């Protein structure tokens, strides 16, 4: 099982908490990013199996980041997060290459290894 994850969120406190949570679940955080451009660069540089991606980044939204990665081919499994509930149709998330959406307050209870487990595409 691939365990390398990139965490992308503009809040350094959340990135730190999420990284510690991922590590406690047996995953390895290989990079952190504070905006969409840095997230794209980190994914390209580290080729992780997963990307924990904030919906609201300062330069571009998380859905646009996920779409760009999907267009590039070999993409990580993307788990989108936000403090807000998301009211987008599941089909829109899937077409953007997003595997799951988890609100930040539910991240602790989420099956993070299961969400990032690589499946056959």
């Amino acid at each position: 099982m691939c365990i390398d994850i990139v965490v992308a969120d503009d809040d350094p406190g959340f990135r730190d908490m999420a990284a510690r949570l991922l590590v406690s679940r047996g995953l390895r955080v290989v990079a952190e990013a504070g905006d969409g451009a840095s997230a794209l660069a980190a994914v390209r540089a580290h080729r992780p199996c997963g990307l924990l991606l904030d919906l609201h980044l300062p330069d571009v939204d998380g859905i646009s980041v996920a779409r760009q990665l999907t267009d590039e081919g070999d993409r990580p499994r993307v788990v989108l997060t936000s403090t807000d509930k998301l009211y987008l149709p599941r089909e829109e998330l899937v077409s953007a290459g997003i595997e799951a959406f988890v609100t930040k307050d539910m991240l602790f209870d989420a099956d993070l290894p299961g969400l990032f487990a690589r499946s056959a595409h």
Side-chain angles (χ1 to χ4, degrees):
M1 175 173 100
C2 181
I3 61 170
D4 294 345
I5 308 294
V6 169
V7 177
D9 194 286
D10 58 324
D11 179 346
F14 178 80
R15 284 196 313 265
D16 181 62
M17 183 279 305
R20 285 186 283 120
L21 180 60
L22 289 163
V23 168
S24 75
R25 303 287 169 82
L27 301 168
R28 179 176 48 224
V29 176
V30 294
E32 295 181 15
D35 58 43
S38 299
L40 289 167
V43 167
R44 291 172 184 141
H46 296 279
R47 309 305 297 170
C49 61
L51 171 62
L52 184 65
L53 179 64
D54 186 25
L55 174 61
H56 303 291
L57 295 169
D59 56 347
V60 64
D61 67 83
I63 294 172
S64 296
V65 170
R67 277 197 182 104
Q68 188 164 345
L69 290 170
T70 296
D71 291 344
E72 292 178 8
D74 185 26
R75 64 178 174 79
R77 291 179 63 87
V78 177
V79 175
L80 192 67
T81 64
S82 178
T83 54
D84 307 319
K85 295 224 184 290
L86 190 62
Y87 297 106
L88 291 173
R90 172 108 180 104
E91 299 80 35
E92 186 170 341
L93 296 178
V94 169
S95 72
I98 297 167
E99 304 288 337
F101 173 78
V102 180
T103 56
K104 289 181 179 180
D105 63 338
M106 297 303 295
L107 201 60
F108 185 80
D109 296 324
D111 174 16
L112 295 171
L115 290 174
F116 287 115
R118 178 70 74 187
S119 64
H121 286 351

